[in-house]
Every structure is written in C-alpha cells, then in structure tokens.
Amino acid sequence: MTYAFMIEPQDFIALENEDELIEKCQEWGLLSGKATKLKTFYYKGNGLNMPCTIIGYVDHMAAVIQLDNGQKHCIHPSYLKEMQASSYSARSISTAVTDRSTEPSISDTVTPVTPANVTPTPDALANPDEIPADLDDAEDTDTDEFSSGLKGDPDGLVEEYVGPQSGAASEAKPKAKTASKAKSVKIDLPEGKVKMSAVVKEFTTVPNHFSDNDDEVIIYEAVTITEPDVIDVGEAWSSHSATVKKQELEVGDVITFEAKIIKKKLTRNPVPYKINNPSKIQKEG
C-alpha cells in the first residue's frame, strides 16, 4: 500500500550509522543529550499511527523518515517530536484545516465589547477581527527557524517564506544578499567523507526552536580539505557534540579529522559551510 500524502525527498543526506543518527536526534530534541541508544519513533499524521525509521535529512527543517511500506517522507523534526507524545492525536491536521471552512467565524461566536464612551467606526464594525497595524512592525522570522505550526502545512514543512514586500527594510535585504554573493567564491564540495584540517576560531551558541536549550557550535577558520584533493574552504562550523567535547578543544587549536562538509549557513552568522560528524580528530602541536 502506498500513501498519496507522502512527500518524497528529491535528494537527502543519509545518516550512515547509529552514532550519526543518535547525534542528529539529540540535535532535534528527539533524544536526550545523555541518550546512548535509539528508540522507536512513530508517525501519527494523516490518520496513521505506525513505527517509522529516521534515515536522513534534507536540511535543518526537514527530516527524512521511512514507513513500513518503504516509502520515504519529509517531515519537520519538531512536528515528528510532537507525534511521540502519548496524548498526540493521529487525526490529520490537513483535515482539521479543511473542516475550519464549516466552523462559525469569530464574529459569529464572539460579541465584541465596546466601552460606553467609545463609538465604533463603520470600518471597525465591518472588520471586528482585523489585525492591529502595529503587528506589521514585528521582527522578521529567520527562514531556517520558521515555526512548523502553519496552516495548511500538516507535516511542518515550510517550502518558502516571503517577507514584507514594501518599506526600506525589505528593500535593503535583497541588496545585502546581492553584495554577499558577489564576494563569495563557489566551491565544489565532495559528497562523501574527506580528510580535513582547521583552526578553532570561536565557541558560540545559536537558537534551536526544536529544543528548550540553544545549540552549542564551533566556528573554524583556515578550513582546508587535504584529501582526496586540496581545497581551501575558509570558514566552517560544526555542532559542539559529545564526540567533539572529548577533545577539550580551545581557541587556536589546529586539528585534523575526517568528515562530510556541506553548504549550510550557520544561523545568524555569515559562515557558509557545515562540518558533519567529524571523526578521528587529532590536535596538532
């Protein structure tokens, strides 16, 4: 049996072993930071409640799971986390959204209370639930961290977010991106694991909306792929995982290791590449 709702990934990064999978699940908040073993995860969307296997990810916002029929499906990690709660309802959110069309509107069920000394204008009566104008000034949300609870997005996948279309702030953003693109140099990154060297530049944290705590990360400089071909990468970053913490790294340490490197910008930082699952780490000097 095949499921029509499945979103098959065009391409994704496979998690090749249990250690990589545990580390990724910890990053998403699906496992505690002290977990050493995997547990069974369940997919409860679209009226289903069945075990699923996490096999990889497309990016920070899309995990890839596989159901018992072999179909692969993209899902937001935070939404998959919600499904693990015993109280989670398997009723499809998409169905619930469709049903809203038959529900009475707020104006039908709520009687607006107007102070005696205030006379409502015709526009106010015609639009009782109009959004206040001051909400237009709310801070833009980073596309990498956009909330999964969007209407019509049952598995929490946000394909595109279009910000404000007018005003000085919205006009300034495209110009900034154009400038950064002009300065960047395109690098053809290898697909598999490679040997690398790097210098520890900084320890920092970035927000993680999948967890109550911020993510610890390391920013590296002078990053170089040494084998199979020598490629100067520049700056890159990685998670400050339990494996990396064992090395007790300090700023200025020169290290060599094996890892995959992908093009993935660090949240709110101009670091364009991510180092995935570094192993065989050695400090020089």
Side-chain angles (χ1 to χ4, degrees):
M1 178 179 179
T2 57
Y3 303 107
F5 66 85
M6 302 290 272
I7 304 173
E8 292 274 352
Q10 297 294 321
D11 189 22
F12 68 96
I13 300 170
L15 295 167
E16 298 179 342
N17 55 57
E18 186 172 314
D19 289 341
E20 289 186 6
L21 183 53
I22 289 174
E23 184 176 338
K24 202 66 183 174
C25 287
Q26 289 173 333
E27 180 181 331
W28 287 331
L30 290 165
L31 292 175
S32 70
K34 297 180 180 179
T36 57
K37 294 183 180 180
L38 292 170
K39 66 179 184 179
T40 303
F41 296 104
Y42 291 87
Y43 180 84
K44 300 179 182 179
N46 294 279
L48 301 178
N49 186 348
M50 63 171 60
C52 65
T53 304
I54 301 173
I55 60 173
Y57 59 96
V58 177
D59 53 33
H60 197 59
M61 295 181 63
V64 179
I65 61 174
Q66 185 169 294
L67 300 188
D68 57 355
N69 64 349
Q71 275 188 285
K72 298 178 181 64
H73 181 54
C74 295
I75 182 171
H76 200 291
S78 62
Y79 189 60
L80 181 61
K81 180 181 177 181
E82 292 174 11
M83 290 180 179
Q84 308 316 304
S86 57
S87 59
Y88 183 88
S89 171
R91 182 170 180 261
S92 170
I93 292 178
S94 58
T95 304
V97 171
T98 303
D99 289 346
R100 286 183 184 176
S101 60
T102 62
E103 294 178 357
S105 66
I106 294 176
S107 59
D108 293 333
T109 58
V110 179
T111 303
V113 178
T114 305
N117 61 341
V118 178
T119 303
T121 65
D123 289 341
L125 291 174
N127 301 281
D129 52 352
E130 184 178 15
I131 298 174
D134 58 357
L135 291 183
D136 291 339
D137 296 330
E139 182 181 354
D140 293 344
T141 305
D142 194 304
T143 55
D144 287 341
E145 301 169 348
F146 200 57
S147 170
S148 65
L150 293 181
K151 190 185 300 180
D153 188 21
D155 280 346
L157 289 173
V158 181
E159 294 181 359
E160 181 178 6
Y161 168 60
V162 180
Q165 298 301 301
S166 62
S170 61
E171 291 174 1
K173 288 182 180 179
K175 292 179 182 178
K177 289 182 179 179
T178 304
S180 62
K181 286 183 179 179
K183 294 179 181 179
S184 62
V185 178
K186 184 177 179 181
I187 298 175
D188 292 327
L189 298 174
E191 293 184 0
K193 278 195 170 185
V194 293
K195 291 185 177 181
M196 306 179 66
S197 65
V199 178
V200 178
K201 179 182 179 181
E202 179 184 352
F203 296 90
T204 187
T205 60
V206 293
N208 183 350
H209 294 299
F210 309 140
S211 172
D212 295 334
N213 301 317
D214 290 346
D215 286 341
E216 297 180 49
V217 299
I218 303 178
I219 298 176
Y220 306 90
E221 59 186 351
V223 179
T224 303
I225 298 172
T226 57
E227 291 184 24
D229 297 312
V230 177
I231 301 175
D232 291 327
V233 176
E235 289 191 341
W237 65 281
S238 76
S239 299
H240 198 185
S241 63
T243 302
V244 178
K245 285 181 179 179
K246 291 178 182 178
Q247 305 300 319
E248 299 181 349
L249 299 177
E250 297 179 357
V251 173
D253 281 347
V254 179
I255 59 173
T256 60
F257 53 92
E258 293 183 9
K260 288 183 180 179
I261 181 166
I262 61 173
K263 187 173 182 179
K264 182 177 178 182
K265 181 179 174 292
L266 178 60
T267 305
R268 299 177 184 176
N269 286 273
V271 183
Y273 303 106
K274 182 186 178 187
I275 296 168
N276 277 341
N277 306 308
S279 61
K280 300 180 181 179
I281 304 171
Q282 293 184 345
K283 288 193 285 187
E284 295 186 356

